[in-house]
Amino acid sequence: VVLAPTNGEGAAQVAKIDAEGRYRFDKVVAGEYFLIALEGLNSTDYLDPVEAPKAGAKRVVVEAGKQVTSDLKVVRK
């Protein structure tokens, strides 16, 4: 699962899906992000903020001190 800033600035975070299908990101700075589950992600992949919505990415807003929960479907390459 990739969490990437919608403005394309800053680093994306990656979390693995566990055996129960859950994922978690810690220490996320408040802001607006694209969230997408990708199969076969590797370290050279890049989530383009312009193309992310076309690939099925969800737009999520993280507020300081609050938790966000979002269900996703895996996008196969």
Side-chain angles (χ1 to χ4, degrees):
V1 178
V2 179
L3 182 70
T6 57
N7 63 8
E9 297 178 14
Q13 294 184 44
V14 177
K16 289 187 177 187
I17 299 171
D18 68 17
E20 283 123 23
R22 296 189 177 122
Y23 62 93
R24 179 184 181 98
F25 294 98
D26 293 317
K27 300 180 184 174
V28 176
V29 176
E32 190 172 295
Y33 296 87
F34 286 122
L35 182 65
I36 190 167
L38 298 166
E39 182 178 42
L41 183 69
N42 66 53
S43 63
T44 61
D45 288 332
Y46 168 73
L47 184 61
D48 183 335
V50 174
E51 297 297 320
K54 297 175 193 172
K58 282 186 168 183
R59 192 178 294 260
V60 295
V61 176
V62 177
E63 296 179 37
K66 297 202 176 180
Q67 183 175 348
V68 177
T69 302
S70 186
D71 292 330
L72 297 170
K73 291 183 180 180
V74 174
V75 174
R76 300 197 192 298
K77 290 183 175 185

